[in-house]
Amino acid sequence: MIDLTNIPVTEVVEKSGLRHIAFIMDGNGRWATAKGQPREFGHRAGAANFKTIVRYCKKIGIECCTVYAFSTENIKRPKREVEAIMTLLVNYIAEAVDEKDIEFRFIGDAYGLGENIGRKCAGLEKETAGRPYRLNIALNYGGRAEIVQAVNRLMQDKLLRGDKTPVTEDDISAYLYTAGCPEPDLIVRTGNEQRISNFLTWQSTYSEFHFSQKMWPDYTTDDVDLAVRDFAGRGRRWGGV
Ligand code: FPP
């Protein structure tokens, strides 16, 4: 544990070894409803805030961010709401290539949302590959589905190689969408809910959790600082003593 008094947040990030933050951006709908607005209004504000928070994380020295933009279950929402989220996403992809230093990865089944979206996501990944700061956008994502696709691809490759050795944890990690990223040190959920909702099921085994009562559009960079300092004050033991 480190003494956090009067230390700038960038130093807290460095000293605490915080490399990867994942966000469950919850509360857009309730935020809009409380203002007497349609839910889409909340997603618009949420998407704008997502940009602010991701840029801030990069600024304070975080190496990798993952955001939960659309789960495999979210497709069951009213058509109008799903379309509004997809429009925000497509607009974002069009401008995202200009986000300095960010390497984009879409984790999940982007093609399952349509050929057009899948191709746009793949294009952005290709254009931004090799940049220093990694942003994983979970899209049509489910943690269990991610493990299933990893195991299936792994088994197929092993079969092709005639490899009969037992599967290891490292094998599975290497076939997850997040391969190449450190596991999330910290998972932040906004919206006053305290559950994982099928997010990063494999990768969150030793993550620390921070819950904010704020709805996502109201979540600020000061709140990120609060979560970072909370994380740094935890005693991580990875199952040891
Ligand atoms: C959860 O709030 C939020 C979502 C399901 C969608 C999140 C999407 C965005 C922030 C926009 C994505 C756009 C880009 C560019 C990545 P909720 O709707 O479940 O809120 P509620 O719990 O109040 O109903």
Side-chain angles (χ1 to χ4, degrees), residues 1-2 12-22 182-187 203-209 227-241:
M1 231 180 280
I2 60 176
V12 178
V13 167
E14 197 191 323
K15 285 198 163 73
S16 65
L18 176 52
R19 299 173 68 198
H20 181 175
I21 308 186
E183 289 185 348
D185 303 294
L186 173 64
I187 298 182
Q203 301 90 330
S204 61
T205 305
Y206 286 108
S207 302
E208 296 292 329
F209 288 86
V228 166
R229 290 177 192 280
D230 179 23
F231 168 83
R234 308 270 178 95
R236 296 180 91 191
R237 291 186 295 278
W238 285 276
V241 285

Side-chain angles (χ1 to χ4, degrees), residues 10-241:
T10 43
E11 259 179 69
V12 178
V13 167
E14 197 191 323
K15 285 198 163 73
S16 65
L18 176 52
R19 299 173 68 198
H20 181 175
I21 308 186
F23 292 96
I24 302 179
M25 308 182 288
D26 197 11
N28 294 344
R30 279 168 287 161
W31 181 86
T33 305
K35 291 182 156 26
Q37 296 287 343
R39 294 173 59 81
E40 298 76 43
F41 181 77
H43 293 312
R44 226 174 14 250
N49 200 37
F50 143 83
K51 292 185 222 173
T52 305
I53 298 296
V54 164
R55 287 177 191 148
Y56 182 69
C57 287
K58 179 163 71 103
K59 185 173 149 205
I60 62 173
I62 303 297
E63 286 171 36
C64 174
C65 264
T66 302
V67 295
Y68 209 173
F70 197 80
S71 76
T72 44
E73 287 73 36
N74 288 155
I75 200 77
K76 296 177 208 147
R77 292 187 175 199
K79 195 163 173 256
R80 177 179 148 161
E81 185 175 345
V82 172
E83 280 175 1
I85 296 176
M86 291 308 130
T87 302
L88 286 168
L89 182 80
V90 167
N91 292 344
Y92 179 65
I93 290 175
E95 65 180 52
V97 73
D98 295 329
E99 286 285 354
K100 204 168 169 297
D101 293 336
I102 301 186
E103 173 183 63
F104 287 87
R105 285 290 171 82
F106 291 89
I107 65 170
D109 180 17
Y111 278 97
L113 297 170
E115 184 73 19
N116 178 40
I117 297 219
R119 264 209 250 119
K120 284 185 191 303
C121 292
L124 183 62
E125 287 183 340
K126 204 167 156 207
E127 277 187 87
T128 60
R131 293 181 177 178
Y133 171 85
R134 167 103 164 239
L135 173 60
N136 299 314
I137 300 182
L139 192 63
N140 203 14
Y141 173 90
R144 288 183 179 175
E146 179 185 28
I147 297 169
V148 170
Q149 69 76 35
V151 170
N152 280 324
R153 285 197 300 122
L154 168 63
M155 294 312 288
Q156 221 165 19
D157 284 355
K158 280 171 81 72
L159 214 67
L160 274 173
R161 288 198 304 269
D163 176 356
K164 292 187 178 146
T165 58
V167 169
T168 66
E169 292 187 9
D170 284 347
D171 288 337
I172 294 184
S173 296
Y175 279 78
L176 295 176
Y177 299 126
T178 51
C181 261
E183 289 185 348
D185 303 294
L186 173 64
I187 298 182
V188 173
R189 181 170 190 148
T190 61
N192 202 19
E193 303 284 359
Q194 303 192 354
R195 58 178 171 269
I196 191 75
S197 301
N198 203 13
F199 187 48
L200 302 177
T201 307
W202 178 277
Q203 301 90 330
S204 61
T205 305
Y206 286 108
S207 302
E208 296 292 329
F209 288 86
H210 177 92
F211 299 104
S212 169
Q213 296 193 349
K214 288 197 177 174
M215 302 298 125
W216 176 255
D218 286 334
Y219 191 75
T220 65
T221 56
D222 283 347
D223 295 316
V224 174
D225 288 357
L226 205 70
V228 166
R229 290 177 192 280
D230 179 23
F231 168 83
R234 308 270 178 95
R236 296 180 91 191
R237 291 186 295 278
W238 285 276
V241 285

